[in-house]
Amino acid sequence: MNMTAQAHAKINLHLAVGPLRSDGYHHLQSLFARLELADVITVDIEEGPFSVVVEGLGGVCEPGTDTMSRAARLWHEASGWDGRLTVSIEKNIPVQSGLGGGSSDAASLLSLLNTIKPLPEDRLHQIATRVGSDVPFFLFGGNAAIVEGRGERVTPIASRPLGVLLVMPRDFAVSTAEAYAHLDRLRAHETPRFIDPVRLVDIYNKSCPMWVDSLYNDFYPTVAELPLYQRLNALGDGLEGYATISGSGACWYIVSEDDSCIREAEKSVQDHVGDRVVCWQSRLL
Ligand code: C5P
């Protein structure tokens, strides 16, 4: 048997990070939006004792340590299902970009596996959280959601199909754990700011240039000193959109309801820093 699914990327339109908790994680308040950009995963299933092999991630991580292998093992333990899984992936979402590729791949695989032998929703949610903090959004968040807790509290909201330009540096990627540690060092004595969730949704429904005064990404200061991001931000300032990084980086984006702004942004980025970045036009779903 053979099954295929798309694993869409996300951007964080807002990301407020609370203080370090005793479990090593941080409390969050974020607005996640799903993108058209997606990896494609194909699962081939044969009879036999449980095993999982993932093909197509050479050079990304050690075999067996990727998010899909971990998700499949946890799902096997919970469901008791046996069989040989061979997962192949067409990787379109850049790694260490803050676009959630690894989490989305795991969520899509869990969705596929769950059609073979469904687990109760709370059990699936538990597995998702164990695989990674962003995985619950991809399973339960629809196209846009407010995400809280460590990432496990997901409240879907009505999404907006906006245009986006994604800009990924060629020679700079970000490890999430290191970005959190960097952030803790930068703001040891600051009190984190969270927005009232109802207000957050109200702001999201306003025009993108108006987000600039209210939405933020607490990780931005971890890259703000780097010349490439200073350049990108200066380019974004002159345009009718909202620009920041996604997650803990390294991907920078500009989002707008005006498609000509996205085209203009791409031209400007290509003209000024085209040799140092890769750009994609995409859409929020
Ligand atoms: O959950 P995930 O495996 O994606 O997290 C990777 C790392 O990011 C964690 O080990 C932790 O250092 C940091 N993290 C955090 N607070 C969160 C999510 C992630 O500190 N809410």
Side-chain angles (χ1 to χ4, degrees), residues 20 24-28 103 129 131-134 149-151 176-177 180:
L20 179 63
Y25 288 91
H26 295 72
H27 193 71
L28 303 176
S103 304
T129 309
V131 177
S133 304
D134 289 351
R150 186 200 129 187
T176 308
Y180 273 100

Side-chain angles (χ1 to χ4, degrees), residues 124-199:
L124 196 62
H125 189 285
Q126 250 174 29
I127 293 174
T129 309
R130 281 184 65 188
V131 177
S133 304
D134 289 351
V135 183
F137 163 74
F138 287 109
L139 270 177
F140 302 109
N143 288 338
I146 305 287
V147 173
E148 296 164 298
R150 186 200 129 187
E152 78 284 7
R153 269 171 35 215
V154 176
T155 312
I157 60 173
S159 65
R160 297 184 61 195
L162 302 166
V164 64
L165 179 72
L166 304 168
V167 180
M168 183 67 190
R170 287 183 194 276
D171 58 359
F172 178 66
V174 172
S175 134
T176 308
E178 281 169 24
Y180 273 100
H182 186 178
L183 181 61
D184 288 337
R185 288 194 299 277
L186 275 184
R187 53 162 212 191
H189 303 293
E190 273 176 47
T191 313
R193 313 156 293 161
F194 283 169
I195 303 178
D196 173 74
V198 175
R199 203 176 140 242

Side-chain angles (χ1 to χ4, degrees), residues 3 12 20 27 40 97 126 130 146 149 248 263 275:
M3 299 189 288
N12 301 84
L20 179 63
H27 193 71
V40 183
S97 61
Q126 250 174 29
R130 281 184 65 188
I146 305 287
S248 54
R263 286 194 295 272
D275 54 332

Side-chain angles (χ1 to χ4, degrees), residues 21-222:
R21 309 188 320 195
S22 55
D23 63 0
Y25 288 91
H26 295 72
H27 193 71
L28 303 176
Q29 180 197 48
S30 189
L31 204 167
F32 278 57
R34 200 182 293 255
L35 295 173
E36 215 171 52
L37 174 70
D39 292 338
V40 183
I41 65 171
T42 304
V43 188
D44 195 63
I45 301 173
E46 286 172 12
E47 280 183 23
F50 176 78
S51 65
V52 55
V53 173
V54 173
E55 294 167 349
L57 284 180
V60 174
C61 59
E62 291 296 312
T65 64
D66 63 280
T67 53
M68 288 188 287
S69 300
R70 289 194 282 123
R73 286 195 297 266
L74 289 169
W75 180 81
H76 155 71
E77 277 166 36
S79 66
W81 178 87
D82 274 318
R84 296 181 207 276
L85 300 173
T86 306
V87 185
S88 38
I89 180 156
E90 178 192 312
K91 199 77 192 132
N92 300 315
I93 307 171
V95 294
Q96 297 201 313
S97 61
L99 298 177
S103 304
S104 187
D105 297 341
S108 292
L109 180 60
L110 284 172
S111 292
L112 287 179
L113 295 178
N114 223 43
T115 62
I116 305 174
K117 190 170 175 189
L119 293 174
E121 191 173 302
D122 59 337
R123 197 72 190 85
L124 196 62
H125 189 285
Q126 250 174 29
I127 293 174
T129 309
R130 281 184 65 188
V131 177
S133 304
D134 289 351
V135 183
F137 163 74
F138 287 109
L139 270 177
F140 302 109
N143 288 338
I146 305 287
V147 173
E148 296 164 298
R150 186 200 129 187
E152 78 284 7
R153 269 171 35 215
V154 176
T155 312
I157 60 173
S159 65
R160 297 184 61 195
L162 302 166
V164 64
L165 179 72
L166 304 168
V167 180
M168 183 67 190
R170 287 183 194 276
D171 58 359
F172 178 66
V174 172
S175 134
T176 308
E178 281 169 24
Y180 273 100
H182 186 178
L183 181 61
D184 288 337
R185 288 194 299 277
L186 275 184
R187 53 162 212 191
H189 303 293
E190 273 176 47
T191 313
R193 313 156 293 161
F194 283 169
I195 303 178
D196 173 74
V198 175
R199 203 176 140 242
L200 185 52
V201 175
D202 276 352
I203 299 165
Y204 170 57
N205 285 316
K206 292 188 172 46
S207 147
C208 302
M210 293 178 73
W211 298 356
V212 176
D213 296 329
S214 313
L215 302 188
Y216 48 89
N217 182 336
D218 272 334
F219 282 105
Y220 195 76
T222 64

